[in-house]
Amino acid sequence: MSEKVLMKGNEALAEAAIAAGCRHFFGYPITPQTEVAAHMSKRMPKIGGVYLQAESEVAAINMVLGASAAGVRAMTSSSSPGVSLKAEGLSYLAGSDLPAVIVNVQRAGPGLGGIQPSQADYWQATRAPGHGDFKMLVFAPSTVQEMVDLGAIAFDLGDKERMPAMILSDGLLGQMMEPVVMGSEEKKVQEKPWAVSGHKNKREHNVINSLYIDPPNMEAILKARYERYAEIQENEQRCEEYLTDDADIILVAYGASARISRSAVDAARKENIKAGLIRPITLWPYPDKAILSKIGTTKVFLCVEMSTGQMVDDVKLIVNGKRDVRFYGRTGGVVPTPAEVLNEIKKIKGGI
Amino acid sequence: MNGLKIICGHYGSGKTNFAINYAIDEARNGNDVTLVDMDLVNPYFTSSEYSDILKKNGINVISSAFACTNVESLALPALQMIFDSDDTVIIDAGGDDAGATALGRFSDMIKEKGYEMFYVTNMYRPFTSVPSDSADMMKDIEKACKLKATAIVNNSHLKEFTTVSTITDSVPYAKEVSEIAKIPLLFSTVPRNMINKLKENENFYPIDVYVTTVWEKGE
């Protein structure tokens, strides 16, 4: 499939995983994510893979842990309430230094919330996907093509760093359709000498475990892990900048909010307001370099999110009081419009 | 009595956008039109979201009382009226066989009233890109709703990347689907601004794009 096809975001996430060599998918239905699982259930049997509908989200994430420990590329997907259920498994994956790709097609919360799109799981994804000291790679696609591209990167980087990676999507991106080009060649999955895949009496047996008996030993392991995290923070941050060089007002938005914000930036430019956009593609590691580099040239940062304001905290931490950081958001399943965002830009313009 | 027209197809084939266009055209031709949104499976991008433009064109819209909310309910609207109505009634069925299942409950009444069922297909969707796969999908839908498709609507497109050749390349595909399915190809849809660039000897149907994302609407 190297020619253009029309795909839903959720289908693209599934195809991206297949193209990345993932043959083990463990799912459980929940709107607005269900197409990921439905697509996998149709495709996996045709390509010699495993699609297994687990009895719960908790079971699915632990099946992912088992498959990953055995050295194969494994994935699960869910939507917000289901991801909360996976928290324990995510922590165990991180504690066991295991890679896996977890998709969250966010819907409104807390609680059952609603099935319309949301970005209110930013804190969960970047701060506390589960208990304990750990980080998870978090990728935030904003187009269906980017879901395909980041799917492969999430698997590759997760394997390289031996850590779980989340694709943080939302109901709008998951359900919308756009033309995409799938990569034509199949990925080769790298060797995993640490996997518990049978030693055949040819090597020492491997152990995958997140239990540590000796506190100082565990502290040393955590410190080593955080040194790796620091390298990832330095080397793996990704973002896209749009018209930021001369911008007085820089919007910061990811995912669907970034699409809306980009339209608002275009509309602002038509009215001679110098607006720009920084679009984080990795939410952890957060692209602090892009924001730092613009503190000297811009006047105000405006975070646009489908939440009551979560990512704005990261921007404030980076800007550290040197510039004004504002927020505009809609939540509860309500999607902001480009006109609303433009209105916010105008309000700020009036005050600077 | 102007009959009952059912619009079915694969998820993302463009059923809803076609249904809206077809309803508006019927209304502009002077017919009284009722559009029934029966997409109860997937609450995103359904025709109920476009009630405003439909109502502006004098179209009566029937949808679940829970449309555009968070309820994924199989609460069907009061559908008896569609069998008593003299309007042109257009039913926008849900995607795939799963989405068409709800229609099955009314299949006896629909057969009694008489109907046409258009199967919408898009060559650029992965699961229907091969004519025989598309025809298989149609059979699955027919089985689920206990009704037979009467014509193919070729709605092959690549959203905003659709070009004249996107359409012309898909015509042989659509003809093959029609041959395998043994029902006629009604027409191929074309973005309105391209209709003049296409040969007159093929059957093309100009449409507008209503189903878009919030940033494409730019409002």
Side-chain angles (χ1 to χ4, degrees):
Chain A
M1 275 202 289
S2 57
E3 72 274 27
K4 248 179 204 154
V5 291
L6 198 56
M7 284 185 130
K8 264 192 177 191
N10 284 343
E11 297 166 346
L13 285 171
E15 279 300 320
I18 289 167
C22 171
R23 293 293 178 274
H24 295 80
F25 181 88
F26 306 95
Y28 192 82
I30 180 169
T31 304
Q33 158 280 160
T34 301
E35 292 85 0
V36 183
H39 193 90
M40 284 299 202
S41 75
K42 280 186 182 146
R43 290 277 280 128
M44 281 299 195
K46 290 183 185 165
I47 53 173
V50 174
Y51 164 80
L52 200 152
Q53 182 169 323
E55 68 268 37
S56 72
E57 288 88 346
V58 179
I61 191 72
N62 283 292
M63 290 173 186
V64 165
L65 188 148
S68 175
V72 299
R73 286 192 159 175
M75 179 161 117
T76 184
S77 69
S78 194
S79 177
S80 307
V83 173
S84 292
L85 284 166
K86 293 181 191 293
E88 181 200 49
L90 282 169
S91 175
Y92 277 55
L93 279 162
S96 310
D97 291 311
L98 286 175
V101 172
I102 297 93
V103 172
N104 182 1
V105 185
Q106 296 170 93
R107 60 189 250 183
L112 269 177
I115 56 178
Q116 296 298 334
S118 163
Q119 294 179 319
D121 300 348
Y122 178 90
W123 278 336
Q124 182 190 49
T126 60
R127 298 297 198 280
H131 64 278
D133 278 328
F134 77 95
K135 293 285 182 190
M136 175 170 73
L137 299 164
V138 183
F139 295 92
S142 80
T143 65
V144 179
Q145 182 66 55
E146 205 171 32
M147 296 206 186
V148 171
D149 302 340
L150 290 178
I153 291 166
F155 272 108
D156 285 346
L157 195 60
D159 275 359
K160 180 174 164 245
E161 304 294 349
R162 290 186 62 180
M163 62 191 290
M166 177 170 277
I167 310 267
L168 193 65
S169 176
D170 65 68
L172 184 49
L173 293 172
Q175 294 294 331
M176 62 178 278
M177 291 209 306
E178 284 182 311
V180 294
V181 178
M182 298 294 302
S184 50
E185 63 202 275
E186 188 98 328
K187 276 257 168 194
K188 263 222 129 125
V189 180
Q190 67 184 78
E191 286 291 307
K192 293 173 180 170
W194 47 262
V196 283
S197 51
H199 55 70
K200 300 180 181 71
N201 289 323
K202 285 179 181 158
R203 58 163 170 79
E204 285 294 302
H205 68 270
N206 289 333
V207 176
I208 301 287
N209 176 39
S210 69
L211 172 68
Y212 299 95
I213 304 294
D214 177 37
N217 177 37
M218 179 165 184
E219 185 187 45
I221 286 167
L222 284 171
K223 278 188 172 168
R225 207 177 272 146
Y226 268 74
E227 278 166 24
R228 286 206 336 264
Y229 291 161
E231 277 174 35
I232 296 167
Q233 176 66 47
E234 179 62 25
N235 301 324
E236 302 293 349
Q237 45 185 275
R238 289 167 186 259
C239 76
E240 182 190 29
E241 292 189 41
Y242 180 63
L243 305 178
T244 50
D245 283 347
D246 65 341
D248 294 328
I249 301 168
I250 293 185
L251 280 66
V252 187
Y254 70 96
S257 293
R259 300 288 289 267
I260 294 154
S261 297
R262 193 178 167 117
S263 287
V265 165
D266 286 338
R269 288 271 169 178
K270 275 187 198 139
E271 299 187 25
N272 293 320
I273 301 170
K274 285 182 183 168
L277 171 69
I278 292 177
R279 178 175 74 83
I281 297 169
T282 51
L283 300 180
W284 193 87
Y286 197 80
D288 54 8
K289 292 178 192 177
I291 295 190
L292 283 170
S293 75
K294 293 295 176 294
I295 291 174
T297 58
T298 196
K299 291 173 181 151
V300 179
F301 291 94
L302 169 63
C303 269
V304 180
E305 301 176 55
M306 294 192 288
S307 73
T308 53
Q310 300 191 4
M311 184 181 75
V312 64
D313 284 4
D314 274 331
V315 179
K316 280 181 180 166
L317 281 169
I318 296 160
V319 172
N320 202 16
K322 295 189 187 90
R323 286 287 176 272
D324 206 0
V325 178
R326 309 278 185 91
F327 171 74
Y328 180 72
R330 298 296 301 267
T331 191
V334 181
V335 178
T337 65
E340 287 168 15
V341 178
L342 176 63
N343 192 42
E344 282 305 302
I345 294 171
K346 283 181 179 168
K347 272 197 246 167
I348 292 169
K349 175 71 187 166
I352 57 174
Chain B
M1 209 281 289
N2 286 300
L4 191 57
K5 315 213 176 186
I6 300 160
I7 296 166
C8 66
H10 178 42
Y11 277 121
S13 56
K15 288 178 307 299
T16 295
N17 196 64
F18 172 67
I20 296 168
N21 271 276
Y22 197 76
I24 290 173
D25 286 345
E26 288 283 306
R28 283 179 184 158
N29 287 336
N31 296 312
D32 294 323
V33 180
T34 295
L35 178 66
V36 185
D37 175 10
M38 276 194 62
D39 196 343
L40 305 169
V41 172
N42 189 314
Y44 280 84
F45 300 107
T46 61
S47 49
S48 321
E49 289 178 43
Y50 306 92
S51 292
D52 288 351
I53 177 98
L54 291 164
K55 283 176 185 159
K56 212 183 285 171
N57 281 276
I59 295 159
N60 180 28
V61 182
I62 298 182
S63 56
S64 157
F66 298 106
C68 303
T69 74
N70 283 318
V71 182
E72 284 174 290
S73 152
L74 290 181
L76 283 171
L79 282 178
Q80 184 56 45
M81 67 79 59
I82 68 175
F83 301 105
D84 304 333
S85 169
D86 289 335
D87 285 10
T88 297
V89 176
I90 298 165
I91 300 179
D92 181 8
D96 288 3
D97 43 340
T101 304
L103 210 51
R105 178 182 146 194
F106 303 98
S107 60
D108 288 341
M109 291 161 87
I110 290 169
K111 279 182 212 160
E112 202 186 306
K113 184 174 165 100
Y115 70 98
E116 289 176 83
M117 184 158 93
F118 303 148
Y119 171 69
V120 180
T121 189
N122 181 351
M123 180 174 91
Y124 301 99
R125 291 281 290 145
F127 282 131
T128 55
S129 61
V130 177
S132 57
D133 288 349
S134 181
D136 285 346
M137 170 72 68
M138 188 188 91
K139 280 188 204 127
D140 288 345
I141 291 170
E142 287 179 331
K143 222 180 278 173
C145 66
K146 298 184 250 177
L147 298 164
K148 292 278 176 202
T150 58
I152 306 287
V153 168
N154 176 27
N155 195 45
S156 296
H157 69 95
L158 281 167
K159 287 197 70 185
E160 67 271 32
F161 295 93
T162 305
T163 62
V164 169
S165 67
T166 307
I167 311 285
T168 51
D169 289 353
S170 75
V171 173
Y173 153 87
K175 286 179 176 167
E176 217 181 314
V177 177
S178 145
E179 259 168 51
I180 298 169
K182 299 189 177 68
I183 51 172
L185 171 63
L186 195 61
F187 43 64
S188 299
T189 63
V190 180
R192 195 172 300 282
N193 61 357
M194 291 179 200
I195 191 81
N196 294 329
K197 293 175 195 150
L198 286 152
K199 279 190 226 140
E200 283 165 20
N201 59 357
E202 293 288 350
N203 199 1
F204 292 115
Y205 185 88
I207 57 164
D208 295 305
V209 180
Y210 295 104
V211 179
T212 55
T213 54
V214 62
W215 53 85
E216 287 166 325
K217 288 179 193 128
E219 55 194 34

